[in-house]
Amino acid sequence: MRAHELFPYIRVKNAAKAIEFYKRAFDVTEKFRLTEPSGRIGHAELDFGCATLMLSDEYPECGIQGPQTIGGTSFAIHLHVENADAWIQRAVAAGATMVREPKDEFYGERSGVVRDPFGHEWNIGHEIEKVTPEEMQRRYDELLKK
């Protein structure tokens, strides 16, 4: 038995604004949304070309809360692109906050981290070299010695 796909599903305060941000920051296409008469978005899907991101507004009555409500997030979304610097600059121009400037990393990527206006962190990177798991571990060990 195998899974067929894995979809990140995020919860945000003001999903409509989040969708507009993601369109500007990441040039995504909205596939569809399900909206209540009050305007609250129960479900939406954004096409990143390589994957679908699902999102909804918060539903506190069901225990569904986003990072702004809980005061942080426990995960980051890794977005693998062709030019991390350009994508990070575009995200910041759209309203994201720089968490970590892009730099070359030991694991063979150039990457940086931004936080979107809704509290989610995005690790945006591109490959700069192929690194085997063994070499990555060696480099990690060296890094830890510093």
Side-chain angles (χ1 to χ4, degrees):
M1 184 171 5
R2 292 184 59 118
H4 294 275
E5 294 179 276
L6 175 67
F7 296 98
Y9 202 123
I10 61 174
R11 295 117 178 227
V12 297
K13 248 185 203 181
N14 200 332
K17 281 188 180 178
I19 291 167
E20 293 310 310
F21 168 80
Y22 297 133
K23 287 178 180 179
R24 286 189 318 276
F26 303 129
D27 196 28
V28 299
T29 303
E30 182 177 344
K31 294 167 93 171
F32 72 95
R33 70 174 77 178
L34 304 176
T35 307
E36 296 178 2
S38 68
R40 185 164 68 165
I41 294 175
H43 179 83
E45 295 186 8
L46 303 178
D47 183 1
F48 276 72
C50 59
T52 298
L53 175 70
M54 298 178 176
L55 71 146
S56 75
D57 269 308
E58 295 183 317
Y59 279 77
E61 68 274 19
C62 299
I64 296 173
Q65 300 173 319
Q68 293 172 317
T69 299
I70 63 173
T73 184
S74 64
F75 73 97
I77 299 170
H78 185 88
L79 187 58
H80 199 85
V81 298
E82 289 188 19
N83 182 331
D85 294 84
W87 279 73
I88 289 167
Q89 287 173 2
R90 187 168 76 193
V92 169
T97 302
M98 184 73 70
V99 174
R100 185 177 50 78
E101 296 277 344
K103 66 178 185 167
D104 296 350
E105 296 288 356
F106 73 92
Y107 45 86
E109 279 195 356
R110 179 164 179 80
S111 66
V113 179
V114 297
R115 182 175 297 113
D116 70 35
F118 308 92
H120 292 285
E121 288 194 0
W122 295 77
N123 183 339
I124 301 172
H126 68 262
E127 184 178 82
I128 54 176
E129 68 173 311
K130 297 255 186 241
V131 181
T132 66
E134 295 79 18
E135 176 61 13
M136 200 179 305
Q137 182 65 57
R138 187 194 68 73
R139 293 178 184 183
Y140 187 57
D141 292 344
E142 286 298 315
L143 181 69
L144 294 175
K145 289 179 185 176
K146 293 179 183 176

